[in-house]
Structures are given as C-alpha cells and as structure tokens.
Amino acid sequence: MGEGNPFNDDRKKRGDWAEGLAVKQFTKEMDVLYFSCCYLSYAPRLKKVAAATAAVLNKAGVKFGILGDKEGCCGESIRKTGNEELFRKLAKENIQNFIDNGVRKILVSSPHSYHTFKNEYPEFMVNFEVVYVTDYLDELIRDGRLKLDKEYAKKVTYHDPVTWVATTASMSSRGRS
C-alpha cells in the first residue's frame, strides 16, 4: 500500500484511465468529484467502466472532475482485513485532499467506496454528500439532463449492490428477510 492503492501501482498513474477524455482535474467550482476507486483506476479491464461513466457525465453536462494522483484508496478492504492504522492514514489523507480541493459531493462507482465514505468517514468528523452512480444516473434521467431516446432490444441484467443493500435493509427493518 506504499502507493496508496492495493495494487501498489504508481500513484501518478491513478488518473491515467481519463487520458484522451474530456475529464478535468477537480476544482471547487465543479458540482461533483468522480472517485473512480482503485479497481476502476488500475485494473486494465475495468478502466473502461470509469471512462464510460465520464462519457455519460459529460453527455449530461455534469460539471465534474477527478483528483487523479491526489486520490488514495478509500481504505475499505484495509479496514476489513484488520489494519486499522493504515485505514485511518488513508482516510485522513483522502479527507484532507477533499477538504483542500473544496469537495462537497462525491460520486462513486464502487459499493465499497460508497459504504466507506458514507458510513465510516464520518467517524473523522466530516460529512460529504456521497452518491452512488446508478442513483445519480437515475436523477439525471428524471431531471431530463440525460435522455434515453433509443430502444435497446436486448435483455439486460444489472447488478447494483448499493440499491440491493438499501432494499434488503429496508425489508429487514419491516420484519422481512
């Protein structure tokens, strides 16, 4: 984790997935920080997910940016493996970068980052608005900023662990499982 990610890839390459795309460095004037997570930033097969998300955000006219090499791992997997000291270091570093760059709203593609930013980072006395990508896309569609105007004549199955967890928790609180 010396490079701030579980792959131990060069931190300077964290934003390389955005090369050649209309993705800018985040500034406080932007609406959303897109935090692509370690897997979408470093795993060759998953970089295209981050690129596709950026393309959709651009199409919808969202003012967003990334922090690139200023981002580190959210720390979720580190905490789950019991390395509390390293988790706290990563969290504090990310939080400081978010504050220093004027981040208010964080858009995530990872359910792990979503959980960590929303439920664990508040332990550090911060509270950023954290939005999961499918919820944000739904909002963009409902607001008319993103239009789906073509039929897609194939069956699609989409696995959305954040919505599933929220639905399961809601059902469990009503006595169902």
Side-chain angles (χ1 to χ4, degrees):
M1 282 300 277
E3 289 291 332
N5 66 80
F7 298 97
N8 207 31
D9 280 354
D10 187 349
R11 180 175 249 174
K12 289 182 173 79
K13 295 181 179 181
R14 186 169 180 106
D16 284 3
W17 64 265
E19 282 183 15
L21 304 174
V23 177
K24 297 177 181 162
Q25 186 74 15
F26 182 84
T27 65
K28 62 184 173 188
E29 293 77 27
M30 294 178 173
D31 300 327
V32 177
L33 167 69
Y34 177 47
F35 187 93
S36 59
C37 90
C38 294
Y39 281 88
L40 274 58
S41 295
Y42 294 108
R45 290 182 52 211
L46 296 177
K47 289 179 183 183
K48 62 186 174 185
V49 175
T53 301
V56 171
L57 295 174
N58 279 323
K59 183 172 178 122
V62 176
K63 294 177 185 163
F64 77 99
I66 63 172
L67 289 176
D69 64 2
K70 293 180 186 172
E71 289 177 9
C73 178
C74 69
E76 185 269 346
S77 60
I78 300 305
R79 183 173 241 188
K80 298 296 184 275
T81 59
N83 192 336
E84 187 67 18
E85 183 180 339
L86 182 55
F87 167 77
R88 296 181 75 71
K89 177 183 179 290
L90 291 167
K92 287 177 181 178
E93 183 179 293
N94 276 328
I95 289 166
Q96 193 61 55
N97 284 328
F98 296 162
I99 291 169
D100 290 349
N101 286 280
V103 172
R104 298 172 308 284
K105 186 176 201 173
I106 305 169
L107 177 66
V108 296
S109 295
S110 163
H112 305 283
S113 295
Y114 177 83
H115 171 81
T116 303
F117 291 154
K118 190 164 185 72
N119 299 308
E120 297 181 15
Y121 277 31
E123 295 172 19
F124 298 92
M125 310 314 280
V126 295
N127 195 4
F128 302 100
E129 181 181 357
V130 183
V131 183
Y132 192 64
V133 67
T134 53
D135 294 328
Y136 194 65
L137 294 176
D138 182 54
E139 180 184 322
L140 293 173
I141 292 166
R142 282 187 282 112
D143 290 349
R145 293 176 67 188
L146 188 61
K147 297 189 186 318
L148 304 177
D149 54 6
K150 295 179 186 175
E151 183 178 332
Y152 188 72
K154 295 183 180 184
K155 284 187 178 184
V156 174
T157 301
Y158 185 79
H159 173 70
D160 182 351
V162 171
T163 301
W164 181 84
V165 169
T167 303
T168 303
S170 174
M171 289 172 62
S172 296
S173 70
R174 293 190 303 248
R176 298 185 206 157
S177 56

